[in-house]
Amino acid sequence: MADQITPMMKQYRHIKTGLAQDVILFFRLGDFYEMFFDDAKVAAPILDIALTKRNNVPMCGIPFHSVDAYLAKLIKAGKKVAICEQMEDASESKGIVRREITRIVTPGTVTEDNILESSRHNFLAGICRSENSVGLALLDLSTGLFMGEEEKGSIQLFRDLLRRFSPAECVIASEDMNDPELREILTDAFSGIINIGEDWTFEYEAARDNMVRHFGVHSLEGFGCEGRKAVVGAAGGVLYYVKEELRRQVGHIRSFSLRNSAEFLMLDEATCANLDLLPSRGQNTAMTLQGTLDVTKTAMGARMLRDWLARPLADLNKITERHDAVAALCENRSVMAGIRETLGRVRDLERLIMRIVSGSGNARDVRGACESLRNVPALKDLVGKLSSKLLVEIGLNMADLPELVDLIDRSIADEPPITIKDGGIIKQGYHSRLDDLRAAASHGRKWLAEYQASEQEKTGIKTLKVRHNRVFGYYIEISKGQLGNVPDHYNRKQTLVNAERFITPELKEYETKILDAQERAVALEYDLFMEVREAIVKETARIQETAGAIGRLDALTSLADRALALRYVRPVMTDGCAVRITGGRHPVVEQMPEAERFVPNDTELDCDGNQLIIITGPNMAGKSTYIRQVALIVIMAQMGSFVPADKAEIGLTDRVFTRVGASDDLARGRSTFMVEMQETANILNNATRKSLIVLDEIGRGTSTFDGISIAWAVAEYLHNHNEVKAKTLFATHYHELTDLALTMSGVKNYNVLVREKDDRIAFLRKIVPGGSDKSYGIQVARLAGMPHEVIERAKEILANLEEGELGESGQPKIAKHRSRRSKIDLAQMNLFSEKN
């Protein structure tokens, strides 16, 4: 059987053997990528193409020019794809064409624009545990961003990091994957592809050596991670995986940054979800804080703003610098308008330079880089008119590169084709030899037209045509009816059904001249393009720095635009504990279309007399909106944004915790109440005096008495433990909790105003001092459209409960029906009561 295998299939099997079993091989055969055996069975239904058989071998194929569209489908389905290309021209090869895998594409290493989201990074994560530390390295191959964090002691913080950055894929040493605690976190907090790497690539010495060689440095001191075994192991391991196992170009990865979690406001995954900071999959972006704040003009700016939102600052000086920059832009509206107009002409420089450096970029990418860099001088000039320290720094970090822009302008066609090996990419007049070859080819085409007219006249065959194909080159085609007029010196080449094809010595001689000129012109164009590309590659570091500066500028102008358009104010930032907000608003709710007029509210929070605010009131009255808006205002202030309020003083916060809403976690067998208790436990175990806590309805997932007991105990703990004593907003239906203010000096009661008339209510959305003694649940049920009969019966049951649990006979009063007479008497009493 083996003797019957074709040389091509032997080559295929040899290449496939070198790949992991979960990698689908795109095997180039002429104008198609073919898949065979199990690869074809897996890929065909995902790609919605026919699965066929040849010699009992399952197979399917896609056109090579449409590879990106099909690749996108497989990557979105979580598959890995190896691209195997023909490394030589089939017409010139002796024997089977040499083929090699040029790259392996995975969900975490995608660089194609049609697969990536322009507004967010696509991270591949490296994970390494060393003693009591866990390192996380994050690499976005599409932009070259490479950074890491190391957490000591609490592995819970690592869980939050993993959820916040949401990498598409991760690689981890097999030894660490056998760690029960780390494996549990990956199962819980990560939904992408997990790759098991070789243990030695994550060991400190090997990983350090890999990074030192890649960056061309003597040590990792300059990156701040020398001796940090966990994060270096993670970074070195992921770098090895991309370079060696995926065979990807990494020349554009020029730096590594170590982030310190203490420099940022910590937001766990629950908080990000509860406050709708960032859109989750399938969620409308407009219904999130990102959707409200993001009016960026560039993809770099959108990614930067998202990063700022996911990781607000905890450094007062850096926060002040961002606020100064936003203020400077707001005060100079004409300058800001000019900046935003200019930014609108800048493309995604980060991803353009990656494709150019890695060799996958084409002439259109080069042209896009040129058009983007062309706008840098104007941006520098506009930014130079502003005095903010951060904006001045941004201006200094932008390189305009006039020589490179001029080179690209002179050399690359304004609208070049997609491919770089078929000609048409170099401008006329850039290179004299190329112009000569093009002229020769063009003259040849003119000669062919004249030759056809001459032969028609000589032979008297008016239908004679000079044609060309890749097999025969140039030939003369004559219909069957005119064969009697064919001259003797015509040499028959091919017979068709209705015509015959001929060649002549004169035609073949000139064909050589034409094709030679065309081929040499195309080859020269490719060489010239590669020279231009190399000139760009030499400026990679400066272009990347420029792209980063443009991204920061774009994010700041987006915040300034929102501040002006939405009436935001600059918050006063302090190193103290107090949060004082006058006329605060919810930034997302107030922008909802067709929403009622938003009612602003004040907030007074500190670590002393206003440390724990108990907020009571009915459902739908606005309690949850209010406590969320306070958290959002704090987060916006620390990310560098102005805030939706008339006035705001924000004390620096280290973490924002939320316990809002609840749902079953069926995948891990956790009930609503268990989820609620675990999230609450996380808050009590990790909050500090610098934290802000938002609690909504603690204890409602169990019996009333149990719920009240837990809620009371949680409030006591937050108030009485000095190491916690965090600023807390506590919304509840348990009116019993208002009694906490009688014995605890830091507790204050507030409620949401409700207007009641004729057993109906109207929500006023105003938070005022004092507790509420009614839940208005039945009135809310009426507003929701409950049947009248259910409403009336609920009122009866409520009255029974308020009278006591048992009647004189010991029967539960909740089941008791009041007589019709009782109802009439009650109605008459109400009719003539003094209240009426």
Side-chain angles (χ1 to χ4, degrees), residues 278-522:
L278 305 168
S280 57
R281 301 209 179 274
Q283 183 182 8
N284 183 355
T285 302
M287 305 299 287
T288 65
L289 185 57
Q290 180 188 349
T292 299
L293 297 180
D294 187 0
V295 288
T296 54
K297 295 292 188 177
T298 71
M300 293 96 71
R303 290 193 292 270
M304 186 68 69
L305 188 69
R306 182 187 176 94
D307 288 349
W308 288 358
L309 189 50
R311 304 217 71 187
L313 297 169
D315 183 301
L316 200 56
N317 291 329
K318 290 182 179 179
I319 295 170
T320 301
E321 286 181 4
R322 285 189 191 170
H323 285 159
D324 287 345
V326 173
L329 289 161
C330 289
E331 292 163 5
N332 295 271
R333 298 189 186 189
S334 61
V335 174
M336 185 179 76
I339 290 173
R340 286 178 60 76
E341 182 183 355
T342 307
L343 286 170
R345 298 191 290 271
V346 177
R347 289 181 53 192
D348 194 342
L349 259 181
E350 285 180 328
R351 288 180 173 167
L352 284 173
I353 191 63
M354 180 285 306
R355 290 197 293 272
I356 293 168
V357 171
S358 67
S360 63
N362 57 28
R364 293 185 182 181
D365 291 324
V366 170
R367 195 75 236 180
C370 175
E371 297 306 319
S372 299
L373 291 171
R374 191 193 310 280
N375 291 285
V376 172
L379 288 175
K380 287 173 69 73
D381 180 61
L382 288 164
V383 171
K385 297 177 181 179
L386 304 171
S387 58
S388 145
K389 176 184 175 183
L390 183 55
L391 291 171
V392 169
E393 181 183 305
I394 286 172
L396 293 174
N397 287 337
M398 285 192 284
D400 45 20
L401 303 173
E403 297 86 358
L404 183 60
V405 170
D406 178 65
L407 171 64
I408 298 172
D409 243 347
R410 289 186 293 108
S411 60
I412 305 299
D414 293 335
E415 296 182 4
I418 295 176
T419 61
I420 59 175
K421 291 188 175 182
D422 294 332
I425 58 177
I426 301 297
K427 279 185 176 179
Q428 187 77 15
Y430 174 70
H431 194 276
S432 59
R433 177 59 181 153
L434 175 62
D435 292 346
D436 291 343
L437 290 171
R438 283 174 168 170
S442 176
H443 179 73
R445 287 189 290 272
K446 180 182 178 183
W447 181 89
L448 286 170
E450 292 173 350
Y451 179 73
Q452 175 178 291
S454 171
E455 291 300 302
Q456 286 176 345
E457 185 176 348
K458 288 178 182 178
T459 62
I461 305 172
K462 300 301 182 183
T463 57
L464 179 151
K465 300 293 182 184
V466 176
R467 301 184 186 278
H468 177 270
N469 67 28
R470 297 177 63 181
V471 177
F472 299 124
Y474 288 98
Y475 56 85
I476 298 170
E477 185 171 288
I478 298 176
S479 61
K480 284 286 180 69
Q482 296 290 329
L483 291 180
N485 298 322
V486 173
D488 293 338
H489 67 278
Y490 276 30
N491 298 316
R492 182 177 283 103
K493 191 68 177 176
Q494 185 182 26
T495 300
L496 303 178
V497 175
N498 297 317
E500 292 202 14
R501 293 172 175 173
F502 302 85
I503 59 173
T504 67
E506 187 180 13
L507 182 60
K508 293 312 286 180
E509 179 184 351
Y510 216 87
E511 176 188 53
T512 302
K513 295 180 181 179
I514 296 169
L515 293 181
D516 182 57
Q518 288 177 333
E519 289 173 0
R520 282 192 290 159
V522 169

Side-chain angles (χ1 to χ4, degrees), residues 804-822:
E805 291 189 39
L806 302 176
E808 293 179 2
S809 62
Q811 182 183 13
K813 286 189 175 181
I814 191 171
K816 177 181 174 184
H817 280 272
R818 295 175 181 264
S819 67
R820 180 176 176 79
R821 176 68 182 169
S822 299

Side-chain angles (χ1 to χ4, degrees), residues 39 76 81 112 140 156 160 186 214 295 339 446 467 473 513 593 614 732 784 820:
D39 284 359
K76 288 176 181 177
V81 180
E112 286 74 10
D140 183 351
Q156 178 63 39
D160 291 339
L186 283 172
H214 173 76
V295 288
I339 290 173
K446 180 182 178 183
R467 301 184 186 278
K513 295 180 181 179
I614 304 291
T732 183
R820 180 176 176 79

Side-chain angles (χ1 to χ4, degrees), residues 673-791:
F673 184 63
M674 177 58 80
V675 173
E676 182 180 335
M677 291 300 97
Q678 287 180 335
E679 291 183 1
T680 305
N682 174 51
I683 294 171
L684 299 182
N685 290 325
N686 293 290
T688 72
R689 288 176 63 88
K690 299 286 285 183
S691 302
L692 171 65
I693 301 173
V694 171
L695 302 174
D696 196 358
E697 305 297 348
I698 291 292
R700 65 181 175 182
T702 185
S703 70
T704 301
F705 289 161
D706 279 355
I708 292 173
S709 302
I710 292 170
W712 187 291
V714 167
E716 275 189 349
Y717 185 91
L718 291 171
H719 182 274
N720 295 337
H721 281 67
N722 287 327
E723 66 271 20
V724 181
K725 212 168 181 63
K727 302 179 290 292
T728 305
L729 294 166
F730 199 145
T732 183
H733 279 100
Y734 297 142
H735 305 295
E736 294 83 356
L737 296 186
T738 58
D739 290 344
L740 286 164
L742 300 176
T743 57
M744 298 182 186
S745 61
V747 178
K748 292 291 186 292
N749 289 322
Y750 285 81
N751 73 94
V752 189
L753 274 182
V754 176
R755 178 182 293 140
E756 184 179 11
K757 184 178 181 181
D758 299 331
D759 202 28
R760 297 179 182 273
I761 58 172
F763 303 123
L764 302 184
R765 313 294 187 196
K766 200 67 181 174
I767 307 294
V768 296
S772 171
D773 58 357
K774 295 182 69 175
S775 292
Y776 299 99
I778 293 175
Q779 289 87 341
V780 173
R782 184 199 304 277
L783 290 176
M786 278 280 191
H788 177 74
E789 183 179 352
V790 173
I791 297 296

Side-chain angles (χ1 to χ4, degrees), residues 622-674:
K623 300 191 305 296
S624 296
T625 298
Y626 171 70
I627 61 177
R628 283 178 169 94
Q629 83 184 31
V630 175
L632 288 172
I633 287 172
V634 169
I635 290 169
M636 289 174 66
Q638 292 197 205
M639 74 173 283
S641 173
F642 286 11
V643 300
D646 297 331
K647 185 179 179 182
E649 176 188 327
I650 309 294
L652 204 60
T653 302
D654 63 356
R655 291 191 68 159
V656 174
F657 293 95
T658 61
R659 161 85 284 288
V660 176
S663 60
D664 291 328
D665 189 349
L666 300 179
R668 283 178 284 161
R670 301 191 303 169
S671 67
T672 298
F673 184 63
M674 177 58 80

Side-chain angles (χ1 to χ4, degrees), residues 126-398:
I127 299 168
C128 178
R129 190 166 194 178
S130 178
E131 299 169 353
N132 68 333
S133 298
V134 181
L136 176 69
L138 295 160
L139 171 61
D140 183 351
L141 195 64
S142 71
T143 65
L145 177 63
F146 194 21
M147 63 183 185
E149 295 199 25
E150 184 172 299
E151 294 295 347
K152 292 185 177 180
S154 174
I155 202 166
Q156 178 63 39
L157 294 177
F158 172 72
R159 183 196 304 265
D160 291 339
L161 280 177
L162 202 57
R163 282 176 165 164
R164 187 180 307 113
F165 289 111
S166 299
E169 183 181 358
C170 78
V171 57
I172 182 172
S174 58
E175 182 180 0
D176 285 339
M177 195 58 192
N178 291 328
D179 181 322
E181 192 175 17
L182 202 52
R183 188 169 62 247
E184 188 273 331
I185 283 181
L186 283 172
T187 303
D188 173 46
F190 180 68
S191 58
I193 291 178
I194 299 176
N195 304 286
I196 307 301
E198 296 185 58
D199 288 340
W200 69 269
T201 65
F202 291 84
E203 293 174 0
Y204 178 73
E205 292 301 331
R208 179 187 178 280
D209 182 63
N210 189 13
M211 292 184 69
V212 165
R213 284 187 290 106
H214 173 76
F215 292 117
V217 294
H218 293 294
S219 77
L220 299 179
E221 291 286 355
F223 301 124
C225 56
E226 184 74 28
R228 305 287 287 269
K229 292 184 178 181
V231 73
V232 171
V238 77
L239 196 59
Y240 177 88
Y241 173 74
V242 173
K243 287 172 64 175
E244 305 301 331
E245 296 191 28
L246 299 186
R247 312 176 200 191
R248 304 299 291 271
Q249 296 293 323
V250 290
H252 63 297
I253 302 172
R254 298 297 180 98
S255 183
F256 178 80
S257 61
L258 179 65
R259 294 193 176 187
N260 181 359
S261 59
E263 297 176 357
F264 301 96
L265 170 63
M266 292 295 292
L267 303 171
D268 58 28
E269 189 265 346
T271 296
C272 290
N274 290 334
L275 297 179
D276 291 316
L277 294 183
L278 305 168
S280 57
R281 301 209 179 274
Q283 183 182 8
N284 183 355
T285 302
M287 305 299 287
T288 65
L289 185 57
Q290 180 188 349
T292 299
L293 297 180
D294 187 0
V295 288
T296 54
K297 295 292 188 177
T298 71
M300 293 96 71
R303 290 193 292 270
M304 186 68 69
L305 188 69
R306 182 187 176 94
D307 288 349
W308 288 358
L309 189 50
R311 304 217 71 187
L313 297 169
D315 183 301
L316 200 56
N317 291 329
K318 290 182 179 179
I319 295 170
T320 301
E321 286 181 4
R322 285 189 191 170
H323 285 159
D324 287 345
V326 173
L329 289 161
C330 289
E331 292 163 5
N332 295 271
R333 298 189 186 189
S334 61
V335 174
M336 185 179 76
I339 290 173
R340 286 178 60 76
E341 182 183 355
T342 307
L343 286 170
R345 298 191 290 271
V346 177
R347 289 181 53 192
D348 194 342
L349 259 181
E350 285 180 328
R351 288 180 173 167
L352 284 173
I353 191 63
M354 180 285 306
R355 290 197 293 272
I356 293 168
V357 171
S358 67
S360 63
N362 57 28
R364 293 185 182 181
D365 291 324
V366 170
R367 195 75 236 180
C370 175
E371 297 306 319
S372 299
L373 291 171
R374 191 193 310 280
N375 291 285
V376 172
L379 288 175
K380 287 173 69 73
D381 180 61
L382 288 164
V383 171
K385 297 177 181 179
L386 304 171
S387 58
S388 145
K389 176 184 175 183
L390 183 55
L391 291 171
V392 169
E393 181 183 305
I394 286 172
L396 293 174
N397 287 337
M398 285 192 284

